[in-house]
Amino acid sequence: MQPDAHTPSSIALAFDPRGESHVAPGFHPERPERLAAARRGVLDAAPTATAVALREPTLDELLRVHAAQHIERLERSLERGQGFIDGDTFFSPGSRAAAWGAAGAAISAIDALVDGHAQRAVLLARPPGHHATRDRAMGFCLLNNAAIAAAHARARGLARVAIVDWDVHHGNGTQDIFDRDPTVLFTSLHQWPLYPGTGRADEVGHDDGRGSVLNVPLPADSNGATYAAAFERIVLPIVEDFAPELIVISAGFDAHERDPLSSMRLASADYRWMAAQLARVADKLGHGRVLLALEGGYDLRAIEQSIAESVRGLQSPADARHPQGELARDSADALRVVTKVQRELWPVLR
Ligand SMILES: [Zn+2]
């Protein structure tokens, strides 16, 4: 029997090959080969993944999350052809097509989910997006793809969207964009301290958005058991209570034990478990909608294996194995701090 398009086993893949045309002038960890590695991983887990029909984003769709001044300044920079926006955020002649293509693919993936063509979608985007704030490019990121996806889902009529950012770096850009928005829950698990230096447990959102930001800063060397405890004690209860009509995973794979830019200890299979838990929540809420969007991750083998495992987790949530290992004392302490802060905002944790 062919898998039906409306079952989790069917994956919609949003991939714009122009993402490979964004190239740093010298060696840079955020390199085009990452995209090919991620694509191999997705196709290994889901060989029959259906390609999402892509379109370009409109300016208005970008302005839902970015300031007009940011878009204008970015376009002016990109017209210069090759250079750096900050110490590590480069651009090349192909960057405009890559960045706008990634944003368009994010929007197209959301359309596929909202129109019911699939329940699970994967966005293979370069450059990544989660450090791009409302008004600036930074941290290898030009446009915030996950935020553009979430805002598009809201514009398409979904009442609430949860973004779960498991990239090892804090998703400061996404937090900045939705900090005052009660309809988008932003949660980030990240190594602390580490670039970009934000994401403390007491950053919980402002004004109407107070309580819609959930930061889980974790000490270096945190393992799968730590992430599992963070999920089970804090992240999953809050996400489920928030009852999003879509879950967007800002899926960096740089908390992997092989990653050269950080010091966490996740194994590839741990990503399968995390993806499975989020898929399980989406299924329990009755819609099953999950978008997994590539962010960072700088070891090619780790990216390929981890995204393959993540896709398997989305396809068959019941089959994922719980992460192994001990919860270190400093990790347990970090989780207690987060719980104490969030308990004031989320009675479900009491
Ligand atoms: Zn990262």
Side-chain angles (χ1 to χ4, degrees):
M1 196 178 80
Q2 284 295 314
D4 177 75
H6 297 269
T7 67
S9 59
S10 166
I11 299 289
L13 176 58
F15 166 67
D16 187 331
R18 293 178 299 170
E20 292 178 354
S21 63
H22 170 65
V23 187
F27 178 80
H28 193 290
E30 207 291 277
R31 57 201 198 276
E33 292 83 353
R34 298 179 57 249
L35 210 50
R39 188 160 176 272
R40 280 195 305 274
V42 173
L43 292 178
D44 181 47
T48 60
T50 48
V52 172
L54 304 181
R55 68 168 173 86
E56 292 293 294
T58 66
L59 178 59
D60 283 346
E61 287 166 342
L62 302 181
L63 294 178
R64 288 174 185 149
V65 308
H66 289 297
Q69 195 192 23
H70 168 61
I71 302 296
E72 289 159 16
R73 203 167 40 209
L74 181 59
E75 297 223 74
R76 271 203 308 276
S77 296
L78 299 182
E79 279 165 15
R80 299 199 328 254
Q82 181 104 41
F84 281 84
I85 288 170
D86 66 20
D88 43 31
T89 310
F90 61 88
F91 59 90
S92 67
S95 296
R96 170 111 181 20
W100 265 249
I107 283 167
S108 305
I110 292 299
D111 284 335
L113 292 173
V114 174
D115 292 337
H117 299 314
Q119 287 187 324
R120 321 282 207 236
V122 176
L123 167 65
L124 296 185
R126 268 189 83 251
H130 73 150
H131 294 308
T133 67
R134 182 166 286 280
D135 51 21
R136 81 182 264 229
M138 61 179 278
F140 315 164
C141 301
L142 304 181
L143 300 174
N144 195 317
N145 310 313
I148 289 165
H152 187 59
R154 289 280 297 114
R156 287 289 317 268
L158 302 196
R160 288 171 307 283
V161 177
I163 302 174
V164 178
D165 185 329
W166 71 41
D167 187 283
V168 79
H169 302 96
H170 177 236
N172 63 298
T174 316
Q175 176 175 311
D176 171 72
I177 287 164
F178 295 116
D179 187 59
R180 289 177 160 78
D181 186 344
T183 68
V184 177
L185 174 69
F186 174 70
T187 174
S188 177
L189 303 98
H190 43 270
Q191 184 178 326
W192 175 271
L194 192 66
Y195 182 90
T198 48
R200 293 189 320 267
D202 62 0
E203 295 170 26
V204 296
H206 288 96
D207 303 337
D208 288 350
R210 188 174 156 76
S212 68
V213 172
L214 162 56
N215 280 303
V216 186
L218 294 167
D221 290 326
S222 290
N223 58 8
T226 303
Y227 279 75
F231 262 51
E232 289 170 329
R233 295 176 196 175
I234 307 167
V235 173
L236 295 172
I238 289 177
V239 170
E240 191 174 330
D241 198 44
F242 181 71
E245 296 180 357
L246 163 73
I247 297 175
V248 176
I249 305 174
S250 254
F253 296 102
D254 40 9
H256 193 280
E257 58 196 352
R258 292 176 55 88
D259 194 87
L261 297 194
S262 70
S263 321
M264 299 303 230
R265 298 185 176 279
L266 289 188
S268 303
D270 296 334
Y271 288 100
R272 177 174 185 157
W273 184 86
M274 291 196 293
Q277 303 321 302
L278 295 170
R280 202 180 45 76
V281 170
D283 287 344
K284 198 169 162 188
L285 292 169
H287 53 74
R289 283 189 287 259
V290 182
L291 170 65
L292 184 134
L294 180 67
E295 298 283 1
Y298 304 98
D299 180 89
L300 298 180
R301 189 146 62 95
I303 294 172
E304 181 176 345
Q305 292 174 351
S306 301
I307 200 167
E309 292 288 4
S310 301
V311 170
R312 291 186 186 105
L314 296 181
Q315 289 171 310
S316 52
D319 298 337
R321 274 192 57 200
H322 195 280
Q324 304 295 298
E326 298 290 315
L327 185 61
R329 203 172 65 188
D330 56 349
S331 301
D333 289 344
L335 295 184
R336 265 193 290 278
V337 171
V338 176
T339 305
K340 187 160 179 278
V341 170
Q342 291 291 336
R343 198 180 270 151
E344 303 301 315
L345 301 157
W346 289 94
V348 69
L349 295 190
R350 280 173 203 160

